[in-house]
Amino acid sequence: MSTRDQSAGIIDISLQPGEFHFAGDEARIRTVLGSCVSMVCWHPALRVGGMCHYMLPYRAERRMGDLDGRYADEAMAMMFREMRQIGTRPEEYEVKVFGGANMFPDHHRSDDNVGTRNVEAAWGIVEGHGLRCVAQHTAGIGHRSVIFDVGSGNVWVKHRPLLAIDGERRRHSAASGQALARAA
């Protein structure tokens, strides 16, 4: 979904799981993550970039046909295709990685959950393609709101961990002092 902020001329894009968007400096891309991961790619000279929101590290069974943004490798293949279509190479971009939380810490070990596997997939892509990761906010417990301003390359992250209260997990309230952190 996208909307335009008429006063600033900014197009605001909200990513759902399995989606990606690549845009110029007029865009702001946002998403909300739990165990999913977003990889943000930004070209500082051209002020273009994109964000993907993938759910799983890879597809269990490879199929012929269209790429599917729900999987890390395929989401980034779509991102790389966009980069090449405008005459740029993936290694020219700054990469930032977010998400991969353990959303069910009472049921899954911290090293054996989908969030951990999603973060490992991100690092595999970064290393395998010779990318330069300049910022990250990954793992932990809880969800994150992520906003990427394509014009500046800035990414803001708001992390809301889950807390144990009377044996149950509950989200932090907005009044708990959670601040918007800038991932430069």
Side-chain angles (χ1 to χ4, degrees):
M1 178 173 85
S2 69
T3 58
R4 181 175 284 278
D5 178 345
Q6 296 294 344
S7 63
I10 300 294
I11 300 169
D12 199 48
I13 295 109
S14 294
L15 290 186
Q16 299 300 313
E19 293 181 341
F20 92 101
H21 192 83
F22 193 87
D25 65 358
E26 76 289 348
R28 184 180 305 127
I29 308 169
R30 65 181 67 229
T31 197
V32 177
L33 304 166
S35 59
C36 294
V37 165
S38 280
M39 294 182 73
V40 171
C41 300
W42 185 64
H43 196 291
L46 299 178
R47 294 178 10 167
V48 298
M51 177 193 288
C52 68
H53 177 154
Y54 66 83
M55 302 164 64
L56 296 166
Y58 54 86
R59 200 185 297 222
E61 196 174 295
R62 292 279 180 210
R63 288 187 240 161
M64 300 304 286
D66 292 338
L67 296 170
D68 188 334
R70 294 178 296 176
Y71 306 100
D73 55 344
E74 297 181 47
M76 288 305 292
M78 291 189 290
M79 186 88 72
F80 294 155
R81 181 175 58 204
E82 293 291 323
M83 292 172 183
R84 290 183 182 103
Q85 283 181 350
I86 65 165
T88 60
R89 297 184 328 271
E91 54 276 2
E92 296 173 13
Y93 289 74
E94 293 179 353
V95 175
K96 300 174 183 180
V97 180
F98 306 97
N102 181 355
M103 296 304 294
F104 304 99
D106 296 332
H107 303 289
H108 299 285
R109 294 188 336 251
S110 62
D111 64 342
D112 184 33
N113 63 75
V114 69
T116 299
R117 292 191 301 274
N118 280 337
V119 172
E120 289 170 353
W123 296 134
I125 292 167
V126 166
E127 292 171 8
H129 291 276
L131 304 176
R132 182 172 43 105
C133 184
V134 297
Q136 66 152 338
H137 193 276
T138 58
I141 298 170
H143 71 275
R144 293 168 174 86
S145 298
V146 180
I147 302 170
F148 169 39
D149 181 79
V150 180
S152 67
N154 290 333
V155 177
W156 294 273
V157 177
K158 185 174 187 177
H159 180 224
R160 291 182 176 240
L162 301 175
L163 293 178
I165 302 174
D166 297 329
E168 294 182 25
R169 297 271 171 190
R170 309 219 187 229
R171 293 193 212 313
H172 260 305
S173 70
S176 69
Q178 289 296 314
L180 211 55
R182 180 171 170 252

